[in-house]
Amino acid sequence: MIRLIRTDTNISLRRRLFSVLMLIVFIPLVLLGGISYVAIQEIYSNKIESGITNTLVNVKSGLESTLENMEYASLQLSMEGSVGQNFYDLLANPSNFQKYALQKEIQKNLNLVNFTNPYLGVILYYDDKGKVMFNNLEVREGFMKENGISTLLSKVNGVTFYGPRKTAYRYGDYDVFSLVRPVESPGALNESSTNYVYMETNVKQFEKLLSKQQYGMKVSHVLLDQAGQIVFTDLNKEFPKGKKLQQQQQLLKMGVSLKTDDYYLYKVTSEQGWSLIVTIHKGEFNKEFNNWLYKFFAVLLGGIAISITFATVIWKSVYGPLKKIGHDIGQVDPLQSNKPMSLTRIIEFDVLVKKMNQLRERIQFLFIEVENRERAKRQLEVEALLYQINPHFIHNTLNSIQFMARMNGQEDIDRMVSIFTRVLHYNLDKRGETVELKEELAALKDYIELQQIRYDYEFGVKFQMDEDIAASTIRIPKFILQPLVENALYHGIDTNQGVIEVKIAKDNNTMIIHITDNGRGMTAEEIERLLADENQKNRKTGLGIGLNYVRRMLEAHYENRYTFEITSTVGHGTLVTLRIPLSLEF
């Protein structure tokens, strides 16, 4: 007799289902939204600051490299280079013929220096009065004048760097970085004369170095000389040229970034003495994050709406049919031949309805059997059949499911049931304890394909076999390969991107089987526990055939003529090696 226990805390399915659906809808969205907002706000800010800082460092490195290359190129025009030596000889040599030859050589080499350094623009020699002596491009008069505002950037190794400043090119009106290097002159001819090398970058190099597009947002540059004075700025109103940053400069000395009321400032200082600051307006800095935030909330609201819609569909799909089934059950009289319960057009519930109809019919049948003593034995047999499942019944049921799947166009279900039927047929086959190797491999591939479908092909299996073994009719004990692969799948690899390799080779009269995985590996203690007793664990996973079964089958068929080894390194996978005699000749 079954006794029902009633409590005052019973909750209706309707209330539980509604509560669970609401929790499923709102808890993940709220948690995901809150965590995403906090995390992305932090990550986004750090990402922007890190990106700006890295880009600024790259800009500084590019400018340093350009100035260093200019310094190196200017050495060729000084006394240390061949061009500078020709220039010195020209000033010291009184011969007109040699002067003419040296002038042509200097002009040719000047053009050659420009050609080998494509980032350079104007290159020239001039004296202390500003007179141009040699040049590769036409130069405007007074090219060294600075309009009352210093553009001196830094002095390093006797070289003076300027810029950005207007180009010396007569027909150009763009900013460049320039270099001035003094050149020794022969004192015998003109003791008071001092000559200089001047070279500057071209317009493309300047635009490339201080390009704003590389930051991914609207920024401005401020360039400071060695004294901290602004020599170049994109924001002349906020950071006027020729002035010092004063308070901001002092604060920037304590770090690489500074937040003011309107701007974010990031600074890098070169070993050459100058500093480069990038400024970003707060509105520009926050604009991209705010755009993401609007999109996030739009997606969040859309997700809530979609979730509520699906929750409503689930509600109607679950509670509605259950309510209808409950009503129909209440109208059923097991002693009367009532009209069958109507279907709900939902497969799972229709199965339940059909089972209920069958159950009602069986109940009616059992009542009749109770009244008739002659049918008592038959009644017991029917009840016993309710608790038995034989292979024939399973195959028939699977064939019915497969037929229904084909009729409804469910190709994936049809394929999976077909594979499962083959695996089940192989497992339930009672014809002997040994099978041909190709049969074992076919069943193993079906099992693997079944597991790959289950895990959405998140792991792969590779087979490698000697041709003479593949073509042979050698027989092996049944179910010795499948448990090894199953062990690799459940105890070795993580299904995400895991790979299992099965290699079968012949060595004289011995067949060698290697099964490896690239999974997490095992310790020696874990291997011992796995071989000791894993039946209970394997009843919950796969087909439940463990490594103990493999070892017992090998002992029964080969006694001491086999080897079974497991080697594993934590974090580097596991290797199972099996060596057994060949049962048939090739």
Side-chain angles (χ1 to χ4, degrees):
M1 179 178 180
I2 299 175
R3 185 178 62 169
L4 299 178
I5 301 176
R6 180 177 179 181
T7 65
D8 295 332
T9 58
N10 289 343
I11 302 175
S12 67
L13 175 62
R14 179 178 182 179
R15 183 176 298 178
R16 288 187 180 183
L17 185 58
F18 179 80
S19 301
V20 170
L21 289 176
M22 291 301 100
L23 291 175
I24 291 174
V25 169
F26 286 103
I27 289 180
L29 289 175
V30 172
L31 290 178
L32 180 62
I35 294 173
S36 299
Y37 176 80
V38 174
I40 294 179
Q41 185 180 35
E42 182 178 352
I43 293 171
Y44 206 80
S45 298
N46 293 338
K47 176 184 176 182
I48 293 177
E49 291 189 5
S50 176
I52 292 172
T53 304
N54 292 336
T55 304
L56 183 59
V57 171
N58 292 336
V59 172
K60 183 205 75 169
S61 300
L63 181 53
E64 282 180 335
S65 177
T66 299
L67 297 180
E68 289 173 357
N69 291 337
M70 289 177 63
E71 180 184 0
Y72 177 77
S74 69
L75 286 175
Q76 301 179 56
L77 277 67
S78 68
M79 290 299 297
E80 301 179 23
S82 59
V83 183
Q85 188 62 50
N86 288 337
F87 181 74
Y88 183 88
D89 294 341
L90 174 66
L91 298 179
N93 196 324
S95 170
N96 291 332
F97 176 76
Q98 290 186 0
K99 280 186 178 182
Y100 177 75
L102 289 172
Q103 287 174 349
K104 290 187 64 177
E105 186 68 19
I106 290 171
Q107 190 64 50
K108 182 182 74 172
N109 289 334
L110 210 62
N111 293 329
L112 182 60
V113 171
N114 191 195
F115 178 76
T116 56
N117 298 276
Y119 61 89
L120 294 177
V122 175
I123 305 175
L124 57 86
Y125 284 102
Y126 72 95
D127 59 20
D128 56 355
K129 296 180 181 180
K131 180 181 178 181
V132 177
M133 305 173 69
F134 293 96
N135 57 288
N136 63 334
L137 296 174
E138 200 167 342
V139 181
R140 60 181 172 83
E141 295 182 3
F143 64 91
M144 286 301 295
K145 293 182 180 180
E146 300 170 353
N147 298 323
I149 300 178
S150 174
T151 59
L152 188 146
L153 190 60
S154 65
K155 292 184 178 181
V156 182
N157 300 326
V159 177
T160 304
F161 293 103
Y162 294 89
R165 57 180 297 163
K166 292 299 179 184
T167 179
Y169 182 48
R170 181 175 180 180
Y171 304 106
D173 186 22
Y174 50 84
D175 290 327
V176 295
F177 290 98
S178 60
L179 169 150
V180 174
R181 175 188 287 274
V183 180
E184 295 182 13
S185 301
L189 293 178
N190 190 351
E191 295 181 358
S192 62
S193 176
T194 304
N195 299 299
Y196 302 91
V197 172
Y198 173 90
M199 58 176 56
E200 64 181 35
T201 59
N202 57 33
V203 61
K204 293 183 178 179
Q205 186 67 13
F206 178 81
E207 293 176 350
K208 177 182 177 181
L209 289 173
L210 296 184
S211 172
K212 300 178 183 181
Q213 297 178 351
Q214 55 192 322
Y215 293 92
M217 61 177 61
K218 187 177 180 181
V219 301
S220 298
H221 289 107
V222 177
L223 188 60
L224 310 179
D225 61 12
Q226 288 176 317
Q229 182 174 297
I230 299 175
V231 296
F232 174 79
T233 176
D234 289 332
L235 299 172
N236 198 51
K237 181 179 179 181
E238 293 83 355
F239 306 99
K241 189 175 181 181
K243 303 293 182 179
K244 290 189 176 182
L245 289 180
Q246 299 176 351
Q247 181 181 0
Q248 292 91 335
Q249 175 71 0
Q250 294 298 323
L251 292 173
L252 280 169
K253 286 182 179 179
M254 295 185 292
V256 297
S257 65
L258 172 67
K259 295 181 180 180
T260 66
D261 293 338
D262 298 319
Y263 291 92
Y264 293 122
L265 282 70
Y266 300 88
K267 176 188 174 184
V268 289
T269 301
S270 170
E271 295 180 356
Q272 298 172 346
W274 50 267
S275 301
L276 180 63
I277 298 174
V278 63
T279 65
I280 307 171
H281 195 276
K282 284 187 176 180
E284 180 67 24
F285 187 90
N286 297 323
K287 181 175 68 175
E288 194 166 351
F289 176 75
N290 291 335
N291 289 338
W292 173 88
L293 196 59
Y294 296 145
K295 295 177 182 177
F296 172 78
F297 280 113
V299 172
L300 182 63
L301 293 175
I304 292 175
I306 294 174
S307 299
I308 292 176
T309 301
F310 280 110
T312 303
V313 173
I314 295 174
W315 169 271
K316 293 182 179 179
S317 300
V318 175
Y319 184 75
L322 281 177
K323 186 177 179 181
K324 183 177 183 301
I325 292 173
H327 178 268
D328 289 347
I329 291 176
Q331 301 298 318
V332 170
D333 184 356
L335 299 179
Q336 301 293 331
S337 179
N338 298 302
K339 180 181 179 182
M341 298 169 57
S342 58
L343 300 178
T344 63
R345 297 185 180 180
I346 298 177
I347 295 176
E348 291 77 8
F349 287 116
D350 286 346
V351 171
L352 179 60
V353 170
K354 292 178 181 178
K355 293 295 182 181
M356 290 299 299
N357 286 328
Q358 293 175 3
L359 179 60
R360 186 189 63 178
E361 293 175 358
R362 286 186 178 275
I363 291 174
Q364 293 175 350
F365 177 78
L366 290 175
F367 271 103
I368 297 174
E369 288 293 316
V370 170
E371 296 176 356
N372 192 343
R373 187 175 288 184
E374 293 180 359
R375 298 181 180 178
K377 183 178 178 179
R378 187 176 179 183
Q379 175 186 350
L380 294 175
E381 292 175 354
V382 172
E383 291 177 351
L385 289 175
L386 291 174
Y387 298 94
Q388 295 181 10
I389 299 178
N390 57 60
H392 186 68
F393 172 75
I394 294 175
H395 285 300
N396 288 341
T397 303
L398 290 174
N399 289 334
S400 299
I401 295 173
Q402 185 177 6
F403 176 76
M404 292 174 66
R406 289 178 181 175
M407 292 296 293
N408 288 276
Q410 299 291 333
E411 297 181 358
D412 292 339
I413 297 177
D414 179 18
R415 177 167 166 263
M416 188 171 184
V417 171
S418 296
I419 298 172
F420 180 64
T421 302
R422 292 199 300 269
V423 172
L424 195 62
H425 178 75
Y426 183 81
N427 288 4
L428 298 178
D429 190 4
K430 300 178 181 178
R431 295 176 299 170
E433 297 179 348
T434 62
V435 293
E436 290 188 3
L437 176 62
K438 59 185 177 182
E439 293 180 272
E440 178 79 357
L441 288 173
L444 176 62
K445 292 178 180 179
D446 284 339
Y447 169 76
I448 291 171
E449 187 173 1
L450 201 62
Q451 295 289 46
Q452 286 178 326
I453 295 173
R454 176 186 175 188
Y455 290 107
D456 199 19
Y457 295 93
E458 291 181 346
F459 71 95
V461 180
K462 299 179 181 179
F463 286 88
Q464 182 178 340
M465 187 186 309
D466 290 349
E467 293 181 358
D468 48 358
I469 289 183
S472 69
T473 57
I474 182 173
R475 299 185 70 85
I476 62 173
K478 195 174 183 180
F479 296 123
I480 65 168
L481 297 183
Q482 183 173 292
L484 301 181
V485 174
E486 186 173 77
N487 175 73
L489 178 61
Y490 285 100
H491 299 284
I493 69 170
D494 294 322
T495 54
N496 188 13
Q497 303 301 325
V499 177
I500 300 173
E501 295 184 6
V502 179
K503 297 181 180 179
I504 303 177
K506 174 189 175 185
D507 184 10
N508 296 327
N509 292 324
T510 302
M511 180 167 62
I512 304 174
I513 301 172
H514 293 293
I515 297 180
T516 60
D517 64 72
N518 63 345
R520 54 183 174 270
M522 296 182 289
T523 63
E525 292 76 12
E526 290 175 332
I527 295 176
E528 290 181 3
R529 287 197 300 267
L530 190 64
L531 292 174
D533 185 12
E534 60 174 20
N535 290 334
Q536 294 299 325
K537 175 184 272 188
N538 276 294
R539 287 174 186 172
K540 300 178 182 179
T541 58
L543 292 170
I545 304 173
L547 299 185
N548 281 336
Y549 168 85
V550 176
R551 193 164 56 181
R552 290 197 303 269
M553 289 295 290
L554 293 174
E555 289 174 355
H557 286 80
Y558 302 110
E559 297 181 350
N560 60 350
R561 295 180 298 123
Y562 78 96
T563 59
F564 180 45
E565 301 174 350
I566 300 178
T567 57
S568 181
T569 303
V570 176
H572 294 83
T574 302
L575 167 64
V576 178
T577 303
L578 183 62
R579 293 181 174 88
I580 59 176
L582 296 176
S583 58
L584 294 176
E585 296 292 336
F586 284 89

